[in-house]
DNA sequence: CCGCGGATGGGAACCATTGTCAAATTGATG
DNA sequence: CATCAATTTGACAATGGTTCCCATCCGCGG
């Protein structure tokens, strides 16, 4: 039986933060932001909700170089990210060609259940004086 | 002043393992393999040497879904990986089109100093009964 | 308004990785 | 071959992000 998630204050608070954020943020950053808003939520709960949202594909997750998982609310549908190293500003990009290329390569080598990760990092105009 | 790395038994042992390995392996796996060979090397040392090799671009490193860093000796030059989730078997793939696409997208949005990560994961033929 | 079961939270537990530092090893030199 | 400085090693502690645990809380259907 499928369990329906409950509409708790904490879940709403986490969702609200994600609405307002522009770029990617770590669970801990989100936890701090909530605290500053006075909408304090337990760290475990922040992690749980972010993971749940990520699992249900409502938000995107990626790992940065430091091994932290970053979250962001994105448009639906498959896409990739162009992320500014300095300020975290993110541009969503679609790359139909890349998707097809990746799948073709994998099939060619007899791989199934194929997924891929693709992120582009750079320094955005605002951060390059 | 640039310090020249020394030729120690441990460094040689780690390099030798990487020669023999086909796919990506974690630091801990490599540590275990060394132990089984009777060429025991301290875990810290394995980490240090892998990092050094990775820094000098002699081996490739990537992070898997569990957040572990995996290492593998690869051909030189820019390339990406098609990795089997189950056994770690790896196929190196070049994607000139993708490189150009990524750079173009980034330039289009005013990003400079651009880099990208791209890995394809799947289950290889041998691991799909 | 009740009661059930999912949700919460605070701290402990995990675990890959990095730091610490005395002791061992290397490579150059005499 | 002996000496010596500098690098490297390794056992263990420490770190830090994330997950687990579990008593308590509370959303929600009846």
């Amino acid at each position: 039986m499928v369990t329906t998630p409950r509409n708790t204050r904490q879940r709403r608070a986490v969702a609200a933060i994600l609405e307002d954020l522009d770029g990617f943020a770590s669970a801990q950053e989100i936890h701090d932001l909530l605290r500053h808003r006075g909408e304090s939520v337990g760290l475990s709960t922040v992690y749980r909700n972010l993971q749940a949202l990520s699992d249900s594909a409502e938000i995107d997750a990626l790992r940065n170089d430091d091994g932290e998982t970053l979250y962001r609310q994105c448009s639906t549908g498959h896409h990739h990210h162009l992320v500014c190293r300095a300020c975290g500003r993110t541009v969503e990009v679609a790359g139909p060609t890349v998707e097809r290329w990746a799948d073709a390569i994998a099939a060619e080598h007899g791989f199934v259940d194929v997924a891929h990760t693709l992120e582009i990092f750079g320094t955005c105009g605002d951060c390059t004086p």
Side-chain angles (χ1 to χ4, degrees), chain A residues 6-25:
Chain A
R6 286 185 185 171
N7 178 25
T8 64
R9 174 184 69 78
Q10 293 85 342
R11 181 180 300 271
R12 267 179 274 122
V14 170
I17 282 277
L18 288 164
E19 288 282 348
D20 297 348
L21 284 182
D22 189 35
F24 279 88

Side-chain angles (χ1 to χ4, degrees), chain A residues 24-27 47 51 54 60-72 81 83 117-121:
Chain A
F24 279 88
S26 70
Y47 272 104
Q51 194 134 66
S54 176
D60 277 16
L62 64 82
R63 292 184 112 90
N64 70 4
D65 291 335
D66 299 338
E68 289 176 318
T69 305
L70 307 182
Y71 300 90
R72 176 170 186 264
H81 301 110
V83 187
T117 66
L118 167 57
E119 313 294 344
I120 311 177
F121 296 98

Side-chain angles (χ1 to χ4, degrees), chain A residues 26-77:
Chain A
S26 70
Q28 316 232 15
E29 281 168 350
I30 291 171
H31 176 251
D32 284 348
L33 288 171
L34 286 167
R35 166 163 294 186
H36 286 137
R37 277 198 183 183
E39 287 273 24
S40 200
V41 175
L43 184 56
S44 310
T45 304
V46 173
Y47 272 104
R48 266 190 307 248
N49 281 321
L50 287 173
Q51 194 134 66
L53 288 167
S54 176
D55 287 348
S56 62
E58 292 175 68
I59 61 177
D60 277 16
L62 64 82
R63 292 184 112 90
N64 70 4
D65 291 335
D66 299 338
E68 289 176 318
T69 305
L70 307 182
Y71 300 90
R72 176 170 186 264
Q73 194 171 51
C74 287
S75 67
T76 57

